[in-house]
Amino acid sequence: GTELGFTEHLFKVLVIGDHKVGKTSFIKRYVKNQFYEELKTTIGVDFSMKVIDWDGHTRVRLQLWDIAGQERARGLNRVYFKGSSGAFVVYDVTNESTLDGALNWKHELDCQEILKNGHPIPVVLLANKCDETKMCRRNVSLLEKLCQEKGFVGWFQTSAKKNINVDNAAKFLVKQILQNT
Ligand code: GDP
Ligand code: MG
């Protein structure tokens, strides 16, 4: 609500993608600035909260939903997606099939989640584990094109491990979400 010109927002943000692409790692890096080589597969849904003092009169609370082991339980998606303001779709640059997975996730989101203004929610594609391999220019331009075709608002090469572009990607998504409010 607004009080003396100060606004607080609570946004639900989904972090989805195939198993092992680094969803939990991305969230842990972003929220706690921590990274683990070994992570337990999370069971159920995990929530993390990140509070961002966006500017002098805006505070944003991001509630990050980690799909946590529901990768194969697609039937639950409708409930899970409900009320979300934005999403990260993550794939692993070292595992090409996870990009197909990411596109499927995007498609499912588009089918289900629509904002009150009729627009789809903003979705950012994360090409994670970029510390493992350098993306060649050709692949970069292919990805640019893919993003436009599939309606991602943007994409980032990220590394949860080396803390590359994690904050930038989040800032970018929040900016897109705020434009919808
Ligand atoms: P999730 O199943 O999508 O939640 O994936 P996890 O976050 O559990 O990560 C799966 C594995 O990938 C773990 O062993 C992580 O340590 C590793 N991992 C996650 N992000 C990165 C990254 O940016 N770079 C590298 N090299 N490994 C990563
Ligand atoms: Mg996980």
Side-chain angles (χ1 to χ4, degrees):
T2 308
E3 230 169 85
L4 301 170
F6 189 85
T7 311
E8 279 202 21
H9 298 282
L10 175 66
F11 297 134
K12 171 181 173 180
V13 169
L14 305 171
V15 182
I16 53 182
D18 286 350
H19 193 49
K20 291 277 176 198
V21 295
K23 301 180 296 297
T24 303
S25 299
F26 178 81
I27 293 171
K28 286 215 181 331
R29 173 61 79 191
Y30 181 51
V31 173
K32 296 186 176 164
N33 201 17
Q34 288 169 347
F35 179 78
Y36 304 91
E37 293 288 345
E38 300 285 336
L39 270 177
K40 281 189 194 136
T41 298
T42 330
I43 308 295
V45 184
D46 256 3
F47 308 96
S48 305
M49 187 74 85
K50 172 86 173 182
V51 180
I52 309 160
D53 285 317
W54 185 256
D55 58 30
H57 45 91
T58 316
R59 178 171 295 153
V60 172
R61 291 175 194 278
L62 278 194
Q63 188 185 53
L64 296 153
W65 285 50
D66 188 348
I67 195 157
Q70 286 178 14
E71 287 96 338
R72 279 165 234 291
R74 294 276 166 106
L76 292 172
N77 287 349
R78 189 175 291 276
V79 176
Y80 179 78
F81 289 172
K82 204 168 186 273
S84 47
S85 301
F88 292 109
V89 175
V90 189
Y91 84 97
D92 173 351
V93 292
T94 69
N95 180 353
E96 216 169 298
S97 74
T98 64
L99 179 55
D100 294 330
L103 299 182
N104 284 331
W105 284 104
K106 175 67 169 71
H107 181 71
E108 287 203 26
L109 267 177
D110 290 344
C111 292
Q112 291 184 22
E113 197 49 53
I114 292 178
L115 293 175
K116 289 194 193 86
N117 62 14
H119 294 297
I121 62 166
V123 184
V124 171
L125 180 67
L126 302 182
N128 192 43
K129 308 195 189 182
C130 74
D131 57 285
E132 295 269 2
T133 161
K134 192 178 175 327
M135 206 181 277
C136 66
R137 266 167 88 180
R138 188 171 161 274
N139 281 349
V140 167
S141 46
L142 281 176
L143 217 55
E144 297 270 347
K145 194 160 158 271
L146 198 66
C147 270
Q148 282 194 347
E149 279 173 15
K150 304 294 180 186
F152 290 94
V153 292
W155 71 283
F156 290 82
Q157 294 190 58
T158 58
S159 168
K161 183 172 182 173
K162 297 281 154 85
N163 198 9
I164 299 167
N165 269 342
V166 172
D167 278 357
N168 288 339
K171 230 174 242 163
F172 181 84
L173 181 61
V174 170
K175 206 175 196 174
Q176 302 288 323
I177 292 172
L178 282 169
Q179 281 171 8
N180 285 325
T181 59

